[in-house]
Amino acid sequence: MDTEKPSSSKKKKKTIEISSLADCEDVLHNILSRLPAKSFASAACVNKSWNCVCNSILSRPRIASACSFKASAPIALQEVLDKVLLEPMRPHFAIANVGRGFNMRRTLDFLVKHLGPRTPIILSVVHGVMGRDALTDEFREVKFQDHEDIGVNRGICTCGQQSGIVLTVGYLPGLKVDAIPLLRRKEIVQVPVDDTYVDVYLAPPVPMIDQFVMDIQNYTTSVSGCASPVGIIMFGKEDMDQKPIIEKLDYAMSMNTVFVGDERSRFAYRSGDDLRNVCGNPAFISDAVALVFASDKEKPHAGTGEIQFHLAMSEGVSAIGPRHKAVSVRANHAEGSTWLTAKREGHHVILDGEQILRHIDQLENRFPQVELYVGVTKRRKCSIGSEKSRLITTLAFHGIRGGDQEYLYVDGVGIKTGDYFQFYQPDHNAALAACRNASENIRNLKLNSSGKGFLGRRDVANSIDRKEVLGGFIFSCCGRGNSFFGGLNVDSFPFFENFPSAPLAGIFCGGEIGRGKLSMTGQESQEESPAERRYLHVYSTAYLVISYSAAPSE
């Protein structure tokens, strides 16, 4: 029996229906992609169809940042939050850097309320910030005044132009992110008071550094199957020596892991794991916190591309005078200082602090009335837990406190008899040259760029391998800036010159952490010396550039 063939009009009607459905989806995509983050999150919960469209909108990573210098801390905080959540976003992490006038607890609670209790957040008090103004979109570098009077426990107050905030929020599919603290658990001792006993918390003298490193390794292994993360952004406690902490991290992690951060700050944090959230708990002290970025072994989408962290450095000191060898060394742990005598390399006369400094001050290339540092070459055994130790060689900077007819006095401990050291001084000419080198290094990422923030590289099959710069972070010494260079926005220039439209957030900090391969091209850099590793810097700027290589299906 003959079957009736569908008429051409029915075929046309079916085609129109399919076309209309596709058009509706495009319209929905266009509408949802314009929503702010909060409305976008609500739209994703409407039904499965809307959720799929929302997932397609957020199929690629994104970073948003903004700063504000409003006199009122609550207004400034609301401004930057509104700006970074102006477009669709599912926050995987947040970093807020503030000046005086911001109550740490209230600010952190505000961010947790609006970004979610499972979002890792780090909040730190800094010496100044860099970023685009939330209202005018003008890029600014601002150093704060009267930094010594920061009150982390004050109520929210007005503070004029001497304070501000920069907030960065990121969505990074393909990575897992969490805040992991370095803790000291206090011992509880009962002290008699009148007719009763009162619990008193006593802090142990040594932080649990090995446990901190293993916590990072265990977290990274659990989410990625690899013990080394992609990157770490770290904030250290201002009265804690971070050198042994970073030394252990450097020893334990692959050189592909990039570290940046602020060596000395005041911070609060929120982890995605409630067991790590001990801020405000009198039984614990947090000596540092690391925001850990690890590859996700269960990427949310099969077509998710690769996110990479890249490091560039602008060193701001120059070496002066001959090398010296430490002879007599005394560590004053109570004051956090070292007393030493030394002799010049190739000489046998033992010199006291006054003799050493007099010779350095008489050098032709010595800048008058600027700070002095010694860069100490340390060759030490290092291990994590019970594993076998091995030797590593590092260059560690110590500030000079002074000298007399007995000793040379330097900041910090960890120097030993036989260690070699050289003097360094801040040098703005060297820093300017290093900024130009950093700009060239960052420019290597562009690879014949033809679009805003995008990098293009044509492979042998004539298809474009798209790489996008998602954004960047700058960690610059609080001694730099306009007063050091005699010009504005010098520290941000290397990134801003190359990627002017990419999100950028920066801080002036109390000590610059920068560790990783210094080549943006993946080739070994001539600046890197495998024999002498350097990860804590002085008068320098560390640039973290985050890029994204799209998967072939994208």
Side-chain angles (χ1 to χ4, degrees):
M1 186 169 69
D2 295 337
T3 57
E4 183 180 352
K5 295 182 179 180
S7 64
S8 60
S9 62
K10 288 183 178 180
K11 285 183 178 179
K12 186 175 181 181
K13 183 177 180 180
K14 188 174 182 180
T15 303
I16 292 174
E17 287 176 350
I18 295 173
S19 177
S20 299
L21 185 62
D23 290 340
C24 288
E25 189 169 305
D26 288 341
V27 171
L28 182 62
H29 186 285
N30 190 26
I31 294 172
L32 295 181
S33 64
R34 298 170 186 267
L35 293 177
K38 187 174 181 179
S39 300
F40 180 84
S42 299
C45 300
V46 171
N47 55 42
K48 288 184 178 181
S49 177
W50 282 40
N51 185 266
C52 288
V53 175
C54 289
N55 287 339
S56 68
I57 292 171
L58 284 182
S59 61
R60 300 173 67 87
R62 58 181 61 186
I63 292 174
S65 67
C67 66
S68 176
F69 303 96
K70 282 291 191 295
S72 168
I75 293 176
L77 183 57
Q78 189 66 57
E79 275 188 0
V80 294
L81 183 73
D82 291 343
K83 180 65 175 181
V84 299
L85 299 183
L86 189 60
E87 296 180 352
M89 174 72 73
R90 289 172 182 160
H92 282 174
F93 74 92
I95 300 174
N97 309 109
V98 301
R100 58 192 290 263
F102 285 80
N103 176 278
M104 296 288 277
R105 173 50 57 190
R106 294 184 186 180
T107 302
L108 183 61
D109 289 345
F110 179 88
L111 293 172
V112 171
K113 176 183 176 182
H114 290 276
L115 299 178
R118 308 299 295 177
T119 302
I121 301 171
I122 293 181
L123 169 67
S124 75
V125 181
V126 296
H127 295 264
V129 299
M130 312 175 197
R132 289 191 177 276
D133 190 279
L135 297 183
T136 67
D137 209 37
E138 175 191 4
F139 188 87
R140 299 177 65 186
E141 289 185 12
V142 176
K143 287 177 66 177
F144 303 144
Q145 300 177 7
D146 300 327
H147 184 77
E148 292 301 319
D149 295 328
I150 293 171
V152 295
N153 295 316
R154 296 177 187 168
I156 294 180
C157 63
T158 58
C159 50
Q161 289 295 314
Q162 296 178 342
S163 186
I165 177 173
V166 60
L167 174 64
T168 303
V169 174
Y171 169 69
L172 302 177
L175 294 184
K176 290 285 190 179
V177 189
D178 204 1
I180 299 177
L182 167 58
L183 300 175
R184 272 186 288 167
R185 181 187 291 274
K186 297 180 181 179
E187 299 176 4
I188 302 177
V189 178
Q190 289 192 331
V191 178
V193 177
D194 295 330
D195 296 331
T196 185
Y197 286 88
V198 177
D199 288 344
V200 176
Y201 292 96
L202 298 179
V206 181
M208 299 180 291
I209 300 176
D210 282 16
Q211 186 60 52
F212 175 59
V213 174
M214 289 187 287
D215 285 346
I216 293 175
Q217 290 178 320
N218 291 338
Y219 168 75
T220 305
T221 302
S222 68
V223 299
S224 71
C226 172
S228 292
V230 174
I232 294 174
I233 299 178
M234 184 168 164
F235 294 84
K237 193 165 177 272
E238 60 185 347
D239 58 357
M240 173 59 61
D241 184 7
Q242 301 295 315
K243 291 183 179 67
I245 302 168
I246 305 296
E247 180 181 281
K248 292 262 187 174
L249 281 172
D250 173 69
Y251 164 83
M253 303 297 170
S254 160
M255 277 305 296
N256 292 323
T257 301
V258 174
F259 304 167
V260 292
D262 186 353
E263 180 186 357
R264 293 182 295 275
S265 66
R266 307 181 198 179
F267 62 84
Y269 71 92
R270 176 77 183 187
S271 172
D273 184 347
D274 283 335
L275 295 177
R276 298 192 182 107
N277 291 320
V278 298
C279 274
N281 188 332
F284 292 93
I285 294 177
S286 300
D287 289 318
V289 62
L291 195 64
V292 180
F293 299 80
S295 297
D296 185 359
K297 61 184 177 184
E298 299 177 358
K299 291 184 178 181
H301 307 291
T304 302
E306 181 183 12
I307 297 172
Q308 292 179 296
F309 282 33
H310 313 270
L311 176 69
M313 291 297 306
S314 168
E315 303 289 355
V317 292
S318 58
I320 58 171
R323 288 213 311 168
H324 292 73
K325 184 178 182 179
V327 177
S328 174
V329 178
R330 293 179 58 188
N332 188 330
H333 292 277
E335 295 183 0
S337 64
T338 298
W339 309 354
L340 59 88
T341 60
K343 55 186 179 182
R344 294 185 200 127
E345 189 173 30
H347 294 74
H348 300 289
V349 178
I350 299 175
L351 306 173
D352 59 39
E354 192 175 273
Q355 293 170 319
I356 295 171
L357 292 178
R358 186 188 306 119
H359 176 259
I360 294 297
D361 287 337
Q362 291 173 350
L363 295 173
E364 290 185 4
N365 60 342
R366 168 75 170 118
F367 300 140
Q369 298 180 342
V370 301
E371 299 172 68
L372 272 177
Y373 298 86
V374 287
V376 184
T377 300
K378 300 178 181 180
R379 186 173 171 81
R380 304 285 190 268
K381 287 184 177 181
C382 191
S383 65
I384 302 295
S386 59
E387 68 180 35
K388 184 179 179 180
S389 62
R390 60 183 173 85
L391 284 171
I392 59 171
T393 303
T394 61
L395 181 67
F397 289 100
H398 298 257
I400 298 295
R401 294 190 176 187
D404 57 23
Q405 294 181 359
E406 287 190 275
Y407 295 105
L408 178 70
Y409 303 100
V410 304
D411 288 327
V413 295
I415 302 174
K416 294 183 177 181
T417 298
D419 285 345
Y420 282 92
F421 63 87
Q422 187 161 17
F423 284 87
Y424 290 80
Q425 64 181 352
D427 186 340
H428 78 276
N429 289 323
L432 283 170
C435 279
R436 289 190 289 269
N437 290 338
S439 181
E440 289 293 330
N441 200 7
I442 293 173
R443 188 173 295 124
N444 288 334
L445 270 178
K446 295 180 77 170
L447 300 176
N448 302 319
S449 171
S450 59
K452 292 184 179 180
F454 285 91
L455 325 168
R457 177 168 55 84
R458 189 170 296 277
D459 63 15
V460 294
N462 292 324
S463 63
I464 295 294
D465 175 18
R466 301 289 285 177
K467 182 177 285 190
E468 174 188 0
V469 167
L470 302 173
F473 292 89
I474 295 176
F475 296 85
S476 185
C477 175
C478 59
R480 290 169 63 119
N482 184 26
S483 60
F484 183 66
F485 290 109
L488 297 174
N489 299 345
V490 177
D491 282 307
S492 56
F493 175 77
F495 183 95
F496 198 71
E497 178 193 33
N498 291 291
F499 301 104
S501 61
L504 174 62
I507 63 172
F508 289 101
C509 54
E512 316 83 66
I513 301 171
R515 181 267 198 194
K517 291 183 177 179
L518 293 175
S519 173
M520 295 277 177
T521 61
Q523 304 296 320
E524 289 297 324
S525 168
Q526 292 181 354
E527 297 178 56
E528 296 178 81
S529 172
E532 192 175 83
R533 300 163 87 138
R534 184 189 309 187
Y535 34 75
L536 293 175
H537 307 262
V538 292
Y539 270 86
S540 301
T541 298
Y543 302 88
L544 172 64
V545 185
I546 304 177
S547 71
Y548 176 69
S549 300
S553 60
E554 294 182 79

Coordinates of all heavy atoms in Angstrom, one line a residue, residues 312 314 434-440 442-443 474 489-499 541 543:
A312 N 57.2 36.8 35.8 CA 58.2 37.7 35.4 C 58.7 38.5 36.6 O 57.9 38.7 37.5 CB 57.8 38.6 34.3
S314 N 61.0 41.9 38.2 CA 61.8 43.2 38.0 C 62.6 43.4 39.3 O 62.0 43.8 40.3 CB 60.9 44.4 37.8 OG 61.6 45.6 37.9
A434 N 65.2 46.5 34.7 CA 64.6 45.3 34.9 C 63.1 45.3 34.5 O 62.5 44.3 34.1 CB 64.7 44.9 36.4
C435 N 62.5 46.5 34.7 CA 61.1 46.6 34.2 C 61.0 46.5 32.7 O 60.0 45.8 32.2 CB 60.5 48.0 34.7 SG 59.9 48.1 36.4
R436 N 61.9 47.0 32.0 CA 61.9 46.9 30.5 C 62.2 45.4 30.2 O 61.5 44.9 29.2 CB 63.0 47.8 29.9 CG 62.7 49.2 30.0 CD 63.7 50.1 29.2 NE 65.0 50.1 29.8 CZ 65.4 51.0 30.6 NH1 64.6 52.0 30.9 NH2 66.7 51.0 31.1
N437 N 63.0 44.7 30.9 CA 63.2 43.3 30.6 C 62.0 42.5 30.9 O 61.6 41.6 30.2 CB 64.4 42.8 31.5 CG 65.7 43.3 31.0 OD1 65.9 43.7 29.8 ND2 66.7 43.3 31.9
A438 N 61.3 42.8 32.0 CA 60.0 42.2 32.4 C 59.0 42.4 31.3 O 58.2 41.5 31.0 CB 59.5 42.6 33.7
S439 N 58.9 43.6 30.8 CA 58.0 43.9 29.7 C 58.3 43.0 28.5 O 57.4 42.5 27.8 CB 58.0 45.4 29.4 OG 57.1 45.7 28.3
E440 N 59.6 42.9 28.1 CA 59.9 42.1 27.0 C 59.6 40.6 27.3 O 59.1 39.9 26.4 CB 61.4 42.2 26.7 CG 61.9 43.5 26.2 CD 61.3 43.8 24.7 OE1 61.2 42.8 24.0 OE2 61.1 44.9 24.4
I442 N 57.2 39.5 29.2 CA 55.7 39.3 29.1 C 55.3 39.4 27.7 O 54.3 38.7 27.3 CB 55.0 40.4 30.0 CG1 55.3 40.1 31.5 CG2 53.5 40.4 29.8 CD1 54.8 41.2 32.4
R443 N 56.0 40.2 26.9 CA 55.6 40.4 25.5 C 55.8 39.1 24.7 O 55.1 38.8 23.7 CB 56.4 41.5 24.9 CG 56.0 41.8 23.4 CD 56.7 43.1 22.9 NE 56.4 44.2 23.7 CZ 57.3 45.0 24.3 NH1 58.6 44.7 24.2 NH2 56.9 46.1 25.0
I474 N 50.2 41.7 40.5 CA 51.5 42.4 40.7 C 51.8 42.5 42.2 O 50.9 42.9 43.0 CB 51.6 43.8 40.1 CG1 51.5 43.7 38.6 CG2 52.9 44.5 40.5 CD1 51.4 45.1 37.9
N489 N 52.9 54.9 37.8 CA 52.5 53.6 37.1 C 53.7 52.9 36.5 O 53.5 52.2 35.5 CB 51.4 53.8 36.1 CG 50.2 54.4 36.7 OD1 50.0 54.4 37.9 ND2 49.3 54.9 35.9
V490 N 54.9 53.0 37.1 CA 56.1 52.3 36.5 C 56.0 50.8 36.7 O 56.3 50.0 35.8 CB 57.4 52.9 37.0 CG1 58.6 52.1 36.5 CG2 57.5 54.4 36.7
D491 N 55.6 50.4 37.9 CA 55.6 49.0 38.3 C 54.6 48.2 37.4 O 54.8 47.1 37.1 CB 55.3 48.8 39.8 CG 56.5 49.1 40.6 OD1 57.6 48.5 40.4 OD2 56.4 49.9 41.5
S492 N 53.4 48.9 37.1 CA 52.4 48.2 36.3 C 52.6 48.2 34.8 O 52.0 47.5 34.1 CB 51.0 48.8 36.6 OG 51.0 50.2 36.4
F493 N 53.6 49.0 34.4 CA 53.8 49.2 33.0 C 54.1 47.9 32.2 O 53.6 47.7 31.1 CB 55.0 50.2 32.8 CG 55.4 50.4 31.4 CD1 54.6 51.2 30.5 CD2 56.5 49.8 30.9 CE1 55.0 51.4 29.2 CE2 56.9 50.0 29.6 CZ 56.1 50.8 28.7
P494 N 55.0 47.0 32.7 CA 55.3 45.8 31.9 C 54.1 45.0 31.5 O 54.0 44.5 30.4 CB 56.3 45.1 32.8 CG 56.9 46.1 33.6 CD 55.9 47.1 33.9
F495 N 53.1 44.9 32.5 CA 51.9 44.2 32.1 C 50.9 45.0 31.3 O 50.4 44.6 30.3 CB 51.2 43.7 33.4 CG 50.0 42.8 33.2 CD1 50.1 41.5 33.1 CD2 48.7 43.4 32.9 CE1 48.9 40.7 32.9 CE2 47.6 42.7 32.7 CZ 47.7 41.3 32.6
F496 N 50.7 46.3 31.8 CA 49.7 47.1 31.2 C 50.1 47.5 29.7 O 49.2 47.6 28.9 CB 49.6 48.4 32.0 CG 48.4 49.2 31.8 CD1 47.1 48.7 32.2 CD2 48.4 50.4 31.1 CE1 46.0 49.4 32.0 CE2 47.3 51.1 30.9 CZ 46.1 50.6 31.3
E497 N 51.4 47.6 29.4 CA 51.8 47.9 28.1 C 51.4 46.8 27.1 O 51.0 47.1 25.9 CB 53.3 48.1 28.0 CG 53.9 48.4 26.6 CD 55.4 48.3 26.6 OE1 56.0 47.5 27.3 OE2 56.0 49.0 25.8
N498 N 51.5 45.6 27.5 CA 51.3 44.4 26.7 C 49.8 44.0 26.6 O 49.3 43.6 25.6 CB 52.2 43.3 27.1 CG 53.6 43.5 26.9 OD1 54.1 43.5 25.7 ND2 54.4 43.7 28.0
F499 N 49.1 44.1 27.7 CA 47.7 43.6 27.8 C 46.9 44.7 28.5 O 46.4 44.5 29.6 CB 47.6 42.3 28.5 CG 48.4 41.2 27.8 CD1 49.6 40.8 28.4 CD2 48.0 40.6 26.6 CE1 50.4 39.8 27.8 CE2 48.8 39.7 26.0 CZ 50.0 39.3 26.6
T541 N 59.7 43.6 42.0 CA 58.3 43.4 41.6 C 58.1 42.0 41.0 O 58.9 41.7 40.1 CB 57.8 44.5 40.7 OG1 57.8 45.8 41.4 CG2 56.3 44.3 40.3
Y543 N 55.5 39.6 38.8 CA 54.4 39.7 37.9 C 53.9 38.3 37.7 O 54.6 37.4 37.2 CB 54.7 40.3 36.6 CG 55.3 41.7 36.7 CD1 56.7 41.9 36.8 CD2 54.5 42.8 36.6 CE1 57.2 43.2 36.9 CE2 55.0 44.1 36.7 CZ 56.3 44.3 36.8 OH 56.9 45.5 36.9

